Amino acid sequence: QVQLVESGGGLVQAGGSLRLSCAASGRTFSSYAMGWFRRAPGTEREFVAHISQNSGITAYADSVKGRFTISRDNAKNTVYLQMNSLKPEDTAVYYCAAGLVVTTRGRADYWGQGTQVTVSS
């Protein structure tokens, strides 16, 4: 069992930056791929980014490519999402996910509770 706890969300002006963190419990963090997803009000959950177990592979949604960076620190059992040049359309609840595989369609074994990101114009 893996528990995921997100933090770092908040209110920021357009053009600003935030860094989300997701702390995972357990001793097997390095065996899991990790991902970030988001859900804006009235919309479906959408893929943001994911990272492989050893950080060798990362992938991003087109809407965030070049602005967001996913990274992980296996020694700290934590995955990060650095978000720069934020836009109002980035406003959403951001969720961390873990699994042996984390796909862009949202296949994952574990999910966090989410952290709210609000970008004002």
Side-chain angles (χ1 to χ4, degrees):
Q1 190 77 10
V2 175
Q3 291 186 327
L4 304 174
V5 179
E6 302 97 335
S7 62
L11 174 64
V12 64
Q13 288 188 333
S17 299
L18 282 174
R19 188 176 82 155
L20 305 183
S21 299
C22 172
S25 64
R27 300 179 180 179
T28 58
F29 176 76
S30 61
S31 67
Y32 290 102
M34 302 296 296
W36 288 97
F37 294 77
R38 66 188 183 186
R39 178 179 286 158
T43 69
E44 297 291 319
R45 182 181 63 200
E46 66 171 349
F47 167 76
V48 175
H50 65 189
I51 187 167
S52 63
Q53 285 82 340
N54 64 359
S55 303
I57 299 172
T58 58
Y60 298 89
D62 288 343
S63 59
V64 306
K65 200 171 293 183
R67 300 188 297 122
F68 290 11
T69 302
I70 189 171
S71 62
R72 65 189 295 162
D73 185 337
N74 286 345
K76 295 183 178 179
N77 282 15
T78 302
V79 63
Y80 304 98
L81 185 68
Q82 178 66 45
M83 306 186 295
N84 298 329
S85 302
L86 283 161
K87 305 175 181 180
E89 52 263 44
D90 294 318
T91 295
V93 177
Y94 284 71
Y95 298 91
C96 175
L100 295 180
V101 176
V102 175
T103 71
T104 59
R105 293 189 176 185
R107 176 185 169 188
D109 297 316
Y110 305 101
W111 293 87
Q113 293 299 307
T115 186
Q116 176 70 47
V117 171
T118 303
V119 184
S120 63
S121 57

